């Protein structure tokens, strides 16, 4: 049925989240308490497609993991935080960008690598390795770039457990007991509607920025545009010219915007979560562009 197809369409779901967030998000502020559980479910379902046993021997993971850490945690973060340092005067928004920089890669890297004809196993190895590395990178980077206020032991432990450790363990259990094929059948619907909750909550809580602070929104958008679209187009050009695996481009620009928004919201409040939501917009736009290019080819 047409209605069911629409309700499964990622673009429709994300647009709906923004529209409803801007229109009625402020009336249901309680939904922010659902962001971490919703994202935890998204993470479990997304990671269920990544059986760790397929990356044995472990030495096969060294190259993709190192490359992902360099591109995703250092190059991307350097570009984003350099711009944020000069044009974002507000501490809460700066913190939001720092959390994006520390966030692990987006879980959609693998399926879009497949769409682009890249090496999916290489991409998956990079993603899973970067998630494990995040357990060390996030606390260290947070302490250096944000300060002692970032180190809230119990809250960090809860977020790490809920969004990284538990999803990795649960997803591998699902694979072990062979229920992953049933879960992955509904993967798109669960992931898209889980992200709907996160985007809706963050946009609703920050709707005043969209209506009364156009300059702030423009600054955030500029940083996200350059970090995602600008870097993405540069990587696309370099991978085409050098015939490098196109999945490497995605490893360099795709951050888990939902993780960044939900973590910032839980630790620092509404305003710090805004950069993550805006980043998600530009990621969706760039992924739509890549999908169009792949379909055209």
């Amino acid at each position: 049925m047409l209605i069911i197809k629409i309700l499964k369409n990622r673009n429709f779901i994300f647009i709906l989240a923004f529209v409803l967030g801007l229109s009625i998000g402020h009336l249901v502020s309680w939904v922010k308490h659902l962001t971490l559980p919703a994202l935890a479910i998204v993470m479990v379902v997304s990671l269920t497609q990544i059986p760790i046993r397929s990356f044995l021997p472990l030495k096969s993971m060294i190259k993709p993991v190192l490359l992902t850490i360099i591109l995703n945690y250092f190059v991307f973060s350097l570009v984003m935080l350099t711009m944020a340092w000069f044009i974002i005067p507000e501490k809460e928004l700066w913190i939001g960008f720092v959390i994006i920089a520390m966030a692990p890669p987006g879980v959609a890297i693998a399926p879009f690598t497949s769409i682009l004809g890249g090496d999916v196993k290489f991409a998956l190895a990079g993603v899973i390795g970067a998630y494990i590395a995040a357990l060390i990178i996030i606390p260290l980077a947070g302490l250096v770039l944000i300060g002692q206020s970032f180190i809230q032991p119990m809250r960090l432990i809860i977020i790490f457990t809920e969004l990284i450790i538990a999803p990795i363990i649960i997803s591998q259990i699902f694979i072990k007991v062979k229920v992953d094929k049933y879960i992955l059948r509904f993967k798109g619907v669960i992931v898209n509607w889980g992200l709907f909750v996160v985007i809706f909550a963050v946009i609703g809580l920050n709707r005043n920025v969209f209506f009364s602070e156009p300059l702030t929104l423009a600054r955030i958008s500029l940083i996200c545009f350059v970090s995602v679209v600008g870097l993405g187009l540069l990587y696309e050009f370099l991978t085409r010219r050098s015939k490098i695996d196109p999945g490497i481009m995605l490893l360099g620009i795709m951050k888990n915007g939902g993780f960044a928004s939900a973590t910032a919201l839980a630790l620092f409040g509404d305003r710090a979560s805004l950069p993550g939501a805006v980043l998600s917009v530009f990621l969706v736009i760039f992924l739509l562009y890549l999908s169009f290019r792949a379909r055209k080819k």
Side-chain angles (χ1 to χ4, degrees):
M1 291 177 63
L2 180 60
I3 295 178
I4 294 177
K5 286 185 178 180
I6 293 174
L7 292 176
K8 289 182 177 180
N9 185 276
R10 178 191 292 112
N11 302 331
F12 169 79
I13 292 170
F14 288 174
I15 291 171
L16 182 65
F18 274 93
V19 172
L20 291 181
L22 289 174
S23 56
I24 64 169
H26 61 298
L27 301 177
V28 285
S29 58
W30 52 265
V31 78
K32 70 180 180 181
H33 301 298
L34 301 178
T35 55
L36 286 180
L39 190 60
I41 294 171
V42 169
M43 298 294 288
V44 170
V45 174
S46 299
L47 292 172
T48 300
Q49 66 180 319
I50 309 176
I52 293 180
R53 66 177 180 272
S54 65
F55 302 118
L56 297 176
L58 290 178
K59 65 179 182 180
S60 67
M61 292 187 66
I62 294 175
K63 182 178 178 180
V65 171
L66 286 178
L67 185 62
T68 303
I69 289 174
I70 291 170
L71 292 178
N72 200 280
Y73 285 118
F74 290 99
V75 176
F76 179 95
S77 300
L78 181 63
V79 172
M80 172 170 279
L81 294 182
T82 299
M83 293 185 67
W85 177 265
F86 286 106
I87 68 177
I88 297 294
E90 191 175 332
K91 183 179 179 181
E92 286 77 12
L93 294 178
W94 161 255
I95 288 173
F97 279 110
V98 171
I99 292 177
I100 291 175
M102 297 185 298
V107 288
I109 286 175
F112 273 93
T113 296
S114 177
I115 290 173
L116 296 177
D119 186 339
V120 176
K121 184 175 179 179
F122 187 95
L124 286 173
V127 170
I128 197 71
Y131 269 81
I132 296 171
L135 297 172
I136 299 173
I137 291 173
I138 291 175
L140 288 178
L143 184 61
V144 172
L145 297 171
I146 297 176
Q148 291 289 343
S149 61
F150 180 76
I151 305 302
Q152 304 174 41
M154 284 309 299
R155 301 186 80 179
L156 270 180
I157 290 172
I158 291 171
I159 289 173
F160 277 173
T161 302
E162 194 168 355
L163 299 185
I164 298 180
I165 299 172
I168 290 176
I169 294 172
I170 294 171
S171 65
Q172 296 311 301
I173 292 174
F174 285 161
I175 293 171
K176 185 73 175 177
V177 299
K178 302 186 186 308
V179 299
D180 52 315
K181 59 183 178 181
Y182 302 107
I183 294 171
L184 292 177
R185 188 180 303 171
F186 303 99
K187 173 179 173 285
V189 174
I190 296 172
V191 169
N192 292 336
W193 283 101
L195 292 176
F196 170 91
V197 173
V198 177
I199 295 171
F200 170 74
V202 171
I203 295 300
L205 293 169
N206 290 282
R207 68 187 296 273
N208 64 301
V209 176
F210 289 84
F211 294 116
S212 60
E213 301 181 52
L215 181 58
T216 297
L217 185 61
R219 287 171 173 167
I220 295 172
S221 298
L222 174 63
I223 295 171
C224 292
F225 175 83
V226 172
S227 302
V228 174
V229 180
L231 269 180
L233 292 174
L234 174 62
Y235 286 143
E236 185 188 32
F237 173 76
L238 293 176
T239 53
R240 281 207 318 266
R241 289 290 297 270
S242 307
K243 295 184 179 179
I244 300 173
D245 190 301
I248 292 175
M249 166 181 59
L250 299 176
L251 292 171
I253 64 165
M254 283 191 68
K255 284 286 190 178
N256 192 323
F259 177 95
S261 295
T263 302
L265 185 62
L267 292 177
F268 296 100
D270 307 350
R271 203 154 174 90
S273 67
L274 183 60
V278 176
L279 178 83
S280 298
V281 176
F282 285 98
L283 278 173
V284 169
I285 291 172
F286 192 68
L287 291 178
L288 286 173
Y289 159 77
L290 291 178
S291 298
F292 175 77
R293 285 288 302 268
R295 193 177 299 117
K296 198 172 181 181
K297 289 180 181 180

